[in-house]
Amino acid sequence: MKFVVRGQTYYVERHGNGQPILLLHGFTGSCQTWHPLVSMWEQHMQCIAMDILGHGQTDAPSSVQRYHIDMVAQDVAMLLEHLGIKKAHVLGYSMGGRLALTFAVLYPQYVQTLILESSSPGLKTEEERMKRREEDERLAQFIEQHGVASFVDRWENITLFSSLKRLPEDVQQRIREERLQHTAIGLANSLRGMGTGAQPSWWEALPQLMIPTLLICGEDDEKFCRIASEMVQLLPNGTLITVPNAGHVVHLEQRERFCTLVQQFVLRGGLLHGD
């Protein structure tokens, strides 16, 4: 399905029945990110996946301002309205997790539970944010100058994704093909407008976030496990699960464990077995 939201066309997929769960992919991802998981969830939940601005079949505008994370969060609210959904469980991975958290902070009335995989609330200081914006700008210029294929060659070999090399060849190829489908302008402007350095820091908002929140990180992803450990201490209704034998992309590296955790958390209304 396609919906026009404030002048931008968004691509949205809807699968299954039951409680609605909104699925927000990471940078260079799309609705395809969730296809292997949707087949396991759709009998129990209504899965709503969207291509985030600048990605997949959703528009990639030339205005960087349009990609700002609070603007995209407003789009998400309007998309749920279009779909007639008053409240949803919201799952976000990496960049999608930052968007999911932003959405929960700005529009908590729409969020039943929040699930953040390998995510952060942003950077704590303006100095850190400025440094990250400079790094993201260099990367954005690389994409514009060298094209998406050269960028993907570089991106898939960064340390953050080293554990993906353990996955079967066909799965690695599927991830690569998903990344290659994007446009240079969409990825570059996404980095500029929605990058970690561009978004507000939500660290101080965490103690006021009363929504039941599940944090999932892969044991081998030391950086994001450290961030999640800090986050869970600040969240009034936070739960942290560290998944063994997984790095940054838990939903692919330990798919069945990830699917079970998410489904249990949603169907139990924000509780896990043993809570």
Side-chain angles (χ1 to χ4, degrees):
M1 297 181 286
K2 291 197 173 183
F3 296 95
V4 178
V5 179
R6 298 189 306 133
Q8 304 302 320
T9 301
Y10 273 85
Y11 175 73
V12 181
E13 292 182 0
R14 209 171 182 176
H15 305 272
N17 298 291
Q19 295 187 46
I21 180 168
L22 177 65
L23 307 172
L24 301 173
H25 61 77
F27 180 63
T28 73
S30 68
C31 289
Q32 291 176 37
T33 295
W34 306 110
H35 286 173
L37 294 87
V38 163
S39 61
M40 301 172 77
W41 285 334
E42 60 186 347
Q43 290 182 328
H44 309 279
M45 301 184 287
Q46 180 190 169
C47 300
I48 300 156
M50 58 179 282
D51 286 351
I52 296 170
L53 201 68
H55 289 75
Q57 297 180 59
T58 288
D59 282 355
S62 56
S63 166
V64 173
Q65 171 95 18
R66 192 61 183 78
Y67 292 77
H68 285 190
I69 203 161
D70 55 341
M71 297 273 281
V72 180
Q74 189 178 346
D75 293 346
V76 172
M78 294 188 74
L79 277 167
L80 289 180
E81 291 282 352
H82 274 306
L83 293 166
I85 293 168
K86 291 184 167 57
K87 228 175 172 74
H89 303 272
V90 181
L91 162 61
Y93 157 67
S94 200
M95 177 191 78
R98 292 188 290 105
L99 175 58
L101 178 57
T102 301
F103 182 65
V105 170
L106 298 179
Y107 302 95
Q109 68 273 23
Y110 288 96
V111 184
Q112 188 82 32
T113 65
L114 182 62
I115 304 161
L116 305 176
E117 175 196 359
S118 306
S119 300
S120 91
L123 297 166
K124 292 177 182 174
T125 69
E126 180 51 39
E127 185 182 7
E128 288 176 297
R129 289 192 289 275
M130 186 169 71
K131 184 182 176 189
R132 182 58 182 266
R133 285 196 298 272
E134 289 169 356
E135 291 171 3
D136 283 346
E137 178 57 35
R138 284 195 292 272
L139 200 51
Q141 289 182 19
F142 179 90
I143 296 169
E144 289 171 335
Q145 290 164 13
H146 300 280
V148 173
S150 293
F151 164 69
V152 169
D153 288 342
R154 177 173 165 178
W155 187 246
E156 65 190 4
N157 286 301
I158 65 172
T159 307
L160 191 67
F161 300 124
S162 58
S163 56
L164 290 179
K165 305 289 186 189
R166 302 193 295 237
L167 292 172
E169 283 292 329
D170 63 318
V171 177
Q172 293 186 51
Q173 185 60 31
R174 194 175 70 237
I175 297 167
R176 180 175 171 81
E177 287 169 4
E178 183 181 10
R179 287 169 169 164
L180 286 170
Q181 71 177 329
H182 297 92
T183 62
I185 189 172
L187 293 183
N189 282 346
S190 180
L191 280 170
R192 291 180 175 121
M194 270 188 80
T196 307
Q199 75 160 68
S201 169
W202 297 121
W203 283 100
E204 292 183 7
L206 296 181
Q208 284 77 51
L209 194 68
M210 303 309 295
I211 298 161
T213 302
L214 174 62
L215 307 175
I216 301 175
C217 64
E219 187 177 53
D220 301 336
D221 185 4
E222 292 178 13
K223 175 185 173 181
F224 280 87
C225 282
R226 189 172 64 248
I227 291 168
S229 296
E230 282 189 65
M231 290 175 70
V232 79
Q233 291 175 41
L234 297 170
L235 287 162
N237 285 312
T239 303
L240 169 59
I241 299 289
T242 303
V243 178
N245 302 312
H248 193 65
V249 195
V250 186
H251 65 269
L252 287 180
E253 297 175 64
Q254 293 295 333
R255 187 174 71 187
E256 289 192 11
R257 172 73 171 136
F258 183 86
C259 282
T260 301
L261 283 171
V262 169
Q263 185 171 304
Q264 190 179 86
F265 192 73
V266 165
L267 299 184
R268 289 168 58 92
L271 295 172
L272 287 172
H273 187 64
D275 282 5

